[in-house]
Amino acid sequence: MSNTAQAQSVQIGPGGVRITPDRDHRHRGDWRISEREAVRIARRQGIVDVNRVARAGREWRVSGINRRGHSMRVIIDARSGRVLRTVRMR
């Protein structure tokens, strides 16, 4: 049994309910951590107000403001979800 999660979508139509593979997921290639998951990880690192989320190479870069009002960026490995760096910006 595989431990890998497979993205799926549900379609409801005249023929009933049908579960199909998520086309967006198939085109993501190595991207296993979604943008939403990257934001959750960044929030656990201290970002409370997210300004920007971007993919760069095999990384998610989440920029925002921490609870003290300082700008910061969290760099996350897009495959594993591991935090690579947390940078406080001036």
Side-chain angles (χ1 to χ4, degrees):
M1 177 187 270
S2 173
N3 290 335
T4 307
Q6 297 294 318
Q8 299 175 338
S9 62
V10 177
Q11 296 179 342
I12 301 173
V17 177
R18 183 171 64 168
I19 298 175
T20 58
D22 187 352
R23 288 183 181 89
D24 290 336
H25 178 74
R26 285 186 288 170
H27 294 292
R28 289 191 320 177
D30 288 339
W31 300 104
R32 294 187 182 145
I33 301 299
S34 70
E35 180 177 340
R36 186 177 203 167
E37 290 167 312
V39 168
R40 284 187 194 134
I41 293 166
R43 288 189 188 283
R44 287 196 299 264
Q45 295 300 310
I47 290 181
V48 293
D49 186 16
V50 174
N51 295 331
R52 184 170 187 236
V53 181
R55 286 192 308 211
R58 291 186 178 207
E59 300 173 345
W60 282 106
R61 296 181 180 192
V62 183
S63 300
I65 308 294
N66 68 14
R67 69 184 186 291
R68 293 184 177 168
H70 299 122
S71 295
M72 67 182 291
R73 178 180 295 147
V74 179
I75 312 297
I76 302 162
D77 182 282
R79 296 183 77 193
S80 68
R82 185 172 56 95
V83 175
L84 302 174
R85 281 185 309 279
T86 301
V87 181
R88 183 172 154 200
M89 299 161 23
R90 295 177 194 248

